């Protein structure tokens, strides 16, 4: 029959049942569609809640500048950094003294060897 | 809990004469054309001065410049106006819908290997695959820009709610598209009507009807509404639209329809018509049909396509789909009465009511 034949036959048959089909809102396809919509929306809400919960969990672990534990960590880091700096400064001072001491003890060049 | 579909049906809509139908269809087409022109002007203005013109903005403007139904922006605008909104308040969202729709179409044509769209060659056949995909990306990006503009006239709160509507519609659409592509790839021959209805809810209905109406109402009522009241109306309307689209793809007039006729069969798409046929034909016919569907597109022959069309006539698969489209349109009309019950009486409300019948009577 091909495309045109099917189209013409369909149009003729279609006009007859059009109004009856149009008025039949209790058709099975409408019920199936309604159920699918409800399920999809429920699944969407559940998925959104799960994403939201995961985001909240992730946010709890991330560094929040107003979070007390985060501030404590920063404070400890600053103290540790200060201690590290003071240790290094002491070390440099010790080294500097040692170098100075070595320098003063070094023998003067022997200019009278010959 | 599964809520039951609404029964009320506007009896007058089911008993109007064919002359009234023709007039109503013309009115709907004119209004679609009017809103479409408004949106197209904005889209073209957005693209007109872009560079690189030849490689990006010119190809991106090709589909928007071609004649189209403009259904999505028209539903959005008319719903906003029906609930007391202003045209300039809703235009950004309507333009964003049309931009995203054009982006989807470009990528959809690539994914399906389609050759014609809106009466001309598909973008990838005209400009090449890379340019076409990139033009689709550009239109998606521009749709986001339009939504950001909503902050200026709607405020941050409402602009954010509309952005979330877009987020949902975009994700649903790509998920639905993935289902359809996956079914073709795996040559699924065991699908049911429920599978099809779920797929088109995701692929078509959210972005074609449900969200355009929801967004229109949010703008019209300045956020003071529960947009879920439009879900059923939009779903039934969108499903009737998609089934009619599947029918036109098989038996439509190519000049009016704008795409290659029987293209869906050549692409192996699981339409409601094909699913009905697979369930109702003889075992030997089913085997031959499944073999056809495993054949690569370039090796599918017109003789086989005509054989399938004849089978669709023999087993009344086309009539079955027409009947289902009308059932869904009738249900949409019942839901319209509820969803738009407190909308202002006038042209916009009449237009949306007219769109329901247009969905199943259109030839384009």
């Amino acid at each position: 029959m091909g495309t045109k034949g099917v189209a013409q036959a369909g149009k003729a048959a279609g006009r007859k049942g059009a109004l009856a089909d149009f008025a039949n809102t209790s058709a099975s396809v409408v019920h199936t569609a309604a159920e699918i919509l409800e399920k999809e929306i429920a699944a969407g809400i559940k998925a959104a809640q799960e994403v939201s919960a995961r985001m909240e969990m992730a946010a709890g672990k991330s560094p929040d500048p107003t979070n007390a534990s985060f501030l404590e960590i920063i404070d400890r880091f600053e103290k540790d950094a200060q201690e590290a700096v003071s240790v290094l400064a002491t070390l440099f001072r010790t080294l500097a003294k040692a170098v100075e001491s070595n320098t003063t003890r070094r023998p003067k060049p022997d200019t009278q060897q010959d | 809990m599964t809520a039951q579909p609404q029964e009320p049906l506007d009896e007058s809509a089911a008993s109007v004469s064919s002359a009234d139908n023709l007039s109503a269809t013309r009115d709907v087409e004119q209004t679609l054309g009017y809103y479409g022109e408004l949106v197209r002007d904005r889209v073209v203005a957005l693209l007109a001065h872009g560079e690189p013109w030849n490689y990006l903005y010119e190809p991106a403007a090709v589909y928007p410049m071609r004649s189209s139904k403009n259904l999505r922006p028209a539903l959005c605008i008319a719903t906003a106006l029906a609930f007391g909104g202003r045209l300039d308040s809703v235009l950004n969202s309507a333009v964003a819908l049309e931009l995203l729709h054009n982006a989807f179409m470009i990528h959809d044509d690539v994914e399906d290997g389609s050759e014609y769209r809106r009466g001309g060659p598909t973008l990838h056949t005209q400009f090449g695959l890379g340019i076409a995909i990139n033009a689709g990306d550009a239109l998606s990006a521009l749709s986001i820009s339009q939504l950001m503009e909503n902050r200026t006239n709607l405020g941050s709160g409402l602009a954010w709610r509309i952005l979330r509507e877009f987020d949902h519609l975009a994700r649903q659409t790509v998920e639905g598209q993935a289902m359809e592509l996956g079914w073709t790839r795996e040559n699924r021959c065991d699908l049911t009507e429920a599978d099809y209805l779920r797929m088109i809810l995701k692929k078509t209905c959210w972005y074609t009807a449900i969200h355009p109406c929801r967004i229109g109402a949010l703008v019209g009522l300045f956020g003071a509404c529960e947009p879920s009241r439009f879900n059923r109306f939009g779903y039934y309307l969108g499903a009737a639209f998609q089934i009619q689209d599947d029918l036109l793809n098989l038996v439509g007039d190519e000049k009016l329809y704008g795409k290659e006729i029987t293209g869906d069969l050549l692409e192996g798409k699981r339409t409601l018509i094909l699913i009905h046929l697979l369930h109702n034909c003889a075992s030997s016919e089913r085997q031959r049909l499944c073999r056809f569907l495993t054949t690569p597109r370039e090796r599918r022959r017109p003789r086989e396509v005509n054989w399938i069309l004849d089978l669709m006539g023999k087993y009344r698969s086309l009539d079955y789909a027409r009947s289902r489209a009308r059932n869904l349109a009738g249900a949409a009309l019942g839901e319209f009465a509820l969803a738009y019950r407190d909308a202002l009486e006038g042209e916009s409300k009449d237009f949306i009511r007219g769109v329901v019948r247009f969905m199943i009577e259109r030839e384009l």
Side-chain angles (χ1 to χ4, degrees):
Chain A
M1 195 190 299
T3 307
K4 281 186 180 173
V6 172
Q8 283 167 353
K11 276 179 186 171
R15 276 191 287 272
K16 282 185 183 174
L19 290 180
D21 289 336
F22 204 63
N24 186 7
T25 56
S26 59
S28 64
V29 68
V30 178
H31 283 281
T32 308
E35 284 177 16
I36 288 167
L37 183 63
E38 299 300 329
K39 281 181 189 166
E40 284 292 321
I41 289 170
I45 291 168
K46 192 180 171 200
Q49 285 171 341
E50 283 171 2
V51 169
S52 177
R54 280 201 294 274
M55 295 286 276
E56 281 171 19
M57 273 178 64
K61 287 174 187 169
S62 61
D64 173 5
T66 60
N67 185 309
S69 59
F70 175 70
L71 291 173
E72 191 182 316
I73 291 167
I74 292 292
D75 189 42
R76 192 182 303 161
F77 173 79
E78 283 174 350
K79 281 179 184 169
D80 290 348
Q82 281 170 359
E83 280 177 21
V85 168
S86 73
V87 166
L88 282 171
T90 309
L91 189 63
F92 278 122
R93 275 197 298 274
T94 308
L95 281 169
K97 279 181 184 174
V99 168
E100 189 182 347
S101 167
N102 285 340
T103 309
T104 50
R105 275 186 287 165
R106 186 185 291 173
K108 289 180 180 177
D110 189 357
T111 53
Q112 296 175 346
Q113 272 183 336
D114 292 335
Chain B
M1 189 190 86
T2 302
Q4 293 303 303
Q6 297 300 324
E7 293 297 332
L9 176 69
D10 184 352
E11 291 296 330
S12 62
S15 60
V16 285
S17 71
S18 58
D20 288 342
N21 284 348
L22 194 63
S23 165
T25 302
R26 280 190 190 141
D27 287 347
V28 168
E29 284 177 2
Q30 279 177 359
T31 309
L32 284 168
Y34 171 69
Y35 289 142
E37 205 168 316
L38 286 174
V39 170
R40 187 160 46 250
D41 287 350
R42 282 281 294 268
V43 170
V44 170
L46 280 169
L47 300 171
H49 304 291
E51 287 293 344
W53 171 252
N54 291 346
Y55 308 136
L56 181 61
Y57 293 100
E58 184 190 9
V62 167
Y63 284 4
M65 290 294 286
R66 289 181 187 169
S67 173
S68 63
K69 290 182 286 294
N70 309 300
L71 179 65
R72 296 155 190 85
L75 276 176
C76 184
I77 293 170
T79 302
L81 298 181
F83 284 101
R86 283 176 16 198
L87 181 64
D88 59 349
S89 300
V90 74
L91 209 47
N92 286 330
S93 303
V95 169
L97 280 168
E98 188 61 12
L99 285 165
L100 195 60
H101 170 53
N102 280 275
F104 284 151
M105 282 194 302
I106 293 171
H107 290 184
D108 183 73
D109 288 341
V110 171
E111 289 153 4
D112 294 341
S114 303
E115 293 170 357
Y116 296 99
R117 170 73 74 175
R118 291 183 173 173
T122 48
L123 206 65
H124 65 278
T125 57
Q126 192 175 343
F127 287 88
L129 202 58
I131 295 265
I133 291 172
N134 196 49
D137 291 341
L139 291 170
S140 295
L142 282 169
S143 78
I144 297 169
S145 306
Q146 282 298 291
L147 296 174
M148 287 163 67
E149 292 293 317
N150 271 337
R151 278 190 70 187
T152 313
N153 53 353
L154 300 178
S156 297
L158 189 50
W160 180 250
R161 282 184 77 181
I162 292 168
L163 194 62
R164 290 187 68 164
E165 295 283 316
F166 267 80
D167 173 50
H168 185 260
L169 79 85
R171 287 181 59 169
Q172 291 296 317
T173 307
V174 294
E175 287 174 14
Q177 179 76 349
M179 287 170 74
E180 185 169 60
L181 292 169
W183 290 350
T184 306
R185 182 181 166 84
E186 293 181 352
N187 194 32
R188 293 283 300 273
C189 294
D190 59 342
L191 298 164
T192 63
E193 183 170 292
D195 292 326
Y196 172 82
L197 289 170
R198 183 174 292 106
M199 184 273 288
I200 63 167
L201 166 63
K202 293 171 84 70
K203 185 191 83 163
T204 305
C205 300
W206 285 109
Y207 104 98
T208 299
I210 302 173
H211 279 297
C213 296
R214 289 170 58 119
I215 293 165
L218 280 170
V219 174
L221 294 165
F222 217 74
C225 78
E226 177 42 67
S228 62
R229 67 194 276 186
F230 298 94
N231 290 353
R232 280 194 181 185
F233 168 69
Y235 183 23
Y236 298 152
L237 183 71
F241 168 84
Q242 183 60 62
I243 295 170
Q244 179 71 5
D245 207 60
D246 295 345
L247 281 162
L248 289 175
N249 191 281
L250 294 174
V251 295
D253 180 333
E254 190 158 305
K255 281 182 188 164
L256 289 171
Y257 182 56
K259 290 187 262 188
E260 65 262 52
I261 298 300
T262 68
D264 285 353
L265 274 181
L266 291 168
E267 291 160 17
K269 281 194 177 171
R270 270 48 177 177
T271 61
L272 183 62
I273 307 140
L274 185 66
I275 289 169
H276 179 269
L277 180 60
L278 283 163
H279 279 276
N280 289 279
C281 63
S283 172
S284 59
E285 290 167 332
R286 191 172 189 276
Q287 281 177 2
R288 186 175 161 190
L289 189 50
C290 290
R291 267 202 310 277
F292 168 84
L293 292 169
T294 53
T295 310
R297 178 185 170 139
E298 61 275 12
R299 282 170 42 202
R300 288 175 183 162
R301 299 283 169 255
R303 193 168 60 83
E304 291 169 296
V305 170
N306 281 336
W307 170 72
I308 297 170
L309 277 172
D310 284 344
L311 276 190
M312 287 171 166
K314 178 181 169 186
Y315 289 101
R316 303 181 66 83
S317 301
L318 296 162
D319 290 339
Y320 178 83
R322 276 191 199 98
S323 169
R324 291 296 171 267
R326 288 185 197 119
N327 291 154
L328 288 160
L333 207 53
E335 291 295 331
F336 169 82
L338 295 175
Y340 290 82
R341 62 185 178 277
D342 44 7
L344 303 169
E345 295 298 332
E347 284 179 10
S348 298
K349 191 174 175 178
D350 291 344
F351 163 74
I352 298 163
R353 191 188 289 113
V355 163
V356 178
R357 188 173 279 278
F358 175 76
M359 283 297 104
I360 53 168
E361 291 179 349
R362 69 192 175 94
E363 292 186 16
L364 68 162

